[in-house]
């Protein structure tokens, strides 16, 4: 039966109260495992950090996501080889950009897709601000031209980049639906019209929490419709440290990021159970 794996971002533990990933990453990872997460995600460029993640997760048979920023095909090929060597469950790729012309984007995509299709582990391309997928409408044009592009859906970036307002227009909902149809992996946080990461527990953000939950639920439905019995969908809770996390004048975060990560995990599991029976 297809299953859901909920991961915790190692970056999301940076400067998080009760964690010291710089000096005691082992203890941080053990705490994540004890909390019931199915694994973690880590930036492969952080070599020492990734080595620790691989050692701890591989020994327990848990999943971990490798994350990279790729500028070209040779760089991606090297990252794929390294992720496979270290035992990553999959590789999440942010593609460098944005670029001014669709033809430039397609030329780059055409050099990367064959590597992803022949890789010894799943490779997905993340929707992210400041990257090739920065603009929602530009990304839709890329998907229309290259429908085989398999995405990691981090939907938090598009409300901010496009200054979306609730209630969303039909064309905006349709655009995100197209993104969701290409998603094989998810990163999660709740964003709004002007902030990329807000507290789940704040009542003023309830509308945006509901919108993100609806997107995640729909993404799960679409993924399950084409999944095999042995497939696993990964969802990574990716609540980042400041300046992603909003802070008070004294620099303290306005919410408990670790508590919110666990709340997000429970929300996601609940949505999965709704659609997967």
């Amino acid at each position: 039966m297809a299953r859901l794996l909920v991961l915790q971002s190692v970056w999301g533990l940076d400067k998080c109260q009760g964690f010291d990933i710089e000096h005691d990453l082992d203890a941080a990872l053990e705490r994540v495992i004890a909390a019931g997460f199915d694994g973690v995600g880590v930036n492969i460029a952080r070599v020492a950090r990734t080595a620790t993640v691989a050692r701890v997760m591989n020994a327990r048979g848990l999943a971990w996501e490798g994350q990279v920023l790729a500028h070209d095909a040779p760089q991606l090929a090297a990252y794929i080889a390294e992720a496979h060597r270290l035992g990553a469950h999959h590789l999440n790729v942010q593609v460098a950009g944005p670029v001014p012309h669709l033809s430039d984007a397609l030329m780059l995509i055409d050099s990367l897709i064959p590597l992803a299709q022949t890789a010894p582990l799943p490779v997905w391309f993340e929707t992210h601000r400041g990257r090739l997928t920065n603009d929602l409408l530009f990304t839709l044009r890329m998907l229309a031209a290259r429908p085989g592009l398999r995405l990691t859906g981090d939907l938090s970036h598009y409300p901010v980049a496009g200054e979306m307002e609730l209630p969303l227009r039909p064309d905006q909902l349709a655009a995100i639906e197209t993104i969701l149809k290409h998603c094989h992996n998810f990163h999660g946080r709740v964003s709004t019209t002007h902030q990329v990461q807000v507290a789940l527990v704040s009542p003023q953000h309830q509308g945006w929490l509901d919108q993100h939950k609806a997107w995640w639920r729909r993404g799960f439905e679409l993924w399950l419709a084409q999944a095999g019995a042995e497939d696993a969908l990964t969802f990574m809770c990716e609540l980042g440290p400041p300046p992603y996390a909003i802070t008070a004048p004294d620099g303290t975060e306005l919410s408990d990021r670790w508590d919110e990560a666990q709340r997000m995990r429970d929300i996601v599991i609940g949505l999965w159970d709704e659609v997967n029976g």
Side-chain angles (χ1 to χ4, degrees):
M1 186 176 189
R3 59 199 175 105
L4 173 72
L5 300 176
V6 185
L7 312 182
Q8 165 62 35
S9 166
V10 172
W11 170 70
L13 301 174
D14 190 20
K15 302 180 180 66
C16 189
Q17 186 175 1
F19 293 88
D20 185 356
I21 62 173
E22 293 299 330
H23 302 99
D24 197 353
L25 181 55
D26 280 81
L29 296 175
E30 293 294 344
R31 189 174 177 187
V32 170
I33 294 168
F37 286 90
D38 299 302
V40 298
V42 65
N43 185 344
I44 286 182
R46 304 295 294 265
V47 176
R49 188 176 292 181
T50 301
T52 300
V53 165
R55 171 173 53 78
V56 173
M57 296 297 153
N58 293 349
R60 290 162 174 77
L62 297 176
W64 62 275
E65 173 184 282
Q67 302 159 343
V68 298
L69 171 63
H71 293 79
D72 54 37
Q75 189 177 41
L76 178 58
Y79 279 135
I80 289 173
E82 182 67 357
H84 180 58
R85 182 185 73 82
L86 292 170
H89 179 271
H90 61 270
L91 186 66
N92 178 72
V93 184
Q94 294 180 14
V95 183
V99 297
H101 302 295
L102 181 62
S103 58
D104 297 327
L106 295 180
M107 186 179 301
L108 178 55
I109 289 293
D110 286 342
S111 72
L112 302 180
I113 288 180
L115 294 172
Q117 291 175 334
T118 59
L121 77 170
V123 177
W124 298 307
F125 298 95
E126 184 179 355
T127 61
H128 203 289
R129 289 172 302 147
R131 305 296 188 228
L132 196 67
T133 52
N134 176 74
D135 179 78
L136 178 56
L137 298 181
F138 190 87
T139 302
L140 294 182
R141 293 173 66 196
M142 285 195 295
L143 292 175
R146 299 295 184 269
L149 189 63
R150 296 160 63 92
L151 300 179
T152 290
D154 188 338
L155 304 176
S156 67
H157 294 287
Y158 287 133
V160 183
E163 202 167 340
M164 295 179 177
E165 295 183 351
L166 295 176
L168 298 182
R169 302 189 309 265
D171 63 299
Q172 293 171 324
L173 291 170
I176 297 297
E177 175 81 3
T178 299
I179 297 293
L180 289 172
K181 288 177 180 178
H182 290 80
C183 288
H184 297 263
N185 181 37
F186 288 91
H187 286 183
R189 72 177 66 84
V190 172
S191 64
T192 70
T193 308
H194 301 293
Q195 289 90 30
V196 73
Q197 179 175 304
V198 296
L200 278 63
V201 297
S202 299
Q204 66 269 33
H205 302 314
Q206 185 64 47
W208 275 109
L209 172 60
D210 291 343
Q211 182 61 71
H212 282 272
K213 287 167 61 176
W215 281 336
W216 298 335
R217 190 183 193 282
R218 179 59 177 156
F220 296 169
E221 288 177 340
L222 291 166
W223 183 86
L224 280 165
Q226 51 80 47
E230 302 302 316
D231 290 344
L233 175 67
T234 55
F235 184 108
M236 188 170 72
C237 299
E238 196 183 27
L239 303 178
Y244 262 70
I246 300 173
T247 55
D250 64 357
T252 60
E253 296 182 40
L254 298 184
S255 60
D256 184 328
R257 196 163 11 114
W258 174 234
D259 177 70
E260 295 244 315
Q262 294 174 91
R263 287 177 184 269
M264 180 178 290
R265 175 204 59 204
D266 293 344
I267 287 170
V268 167
I269 291 173
L271 296 172
W272 175 264
D273 289 343
E274 287 178 14
V275 301
N276 198 34

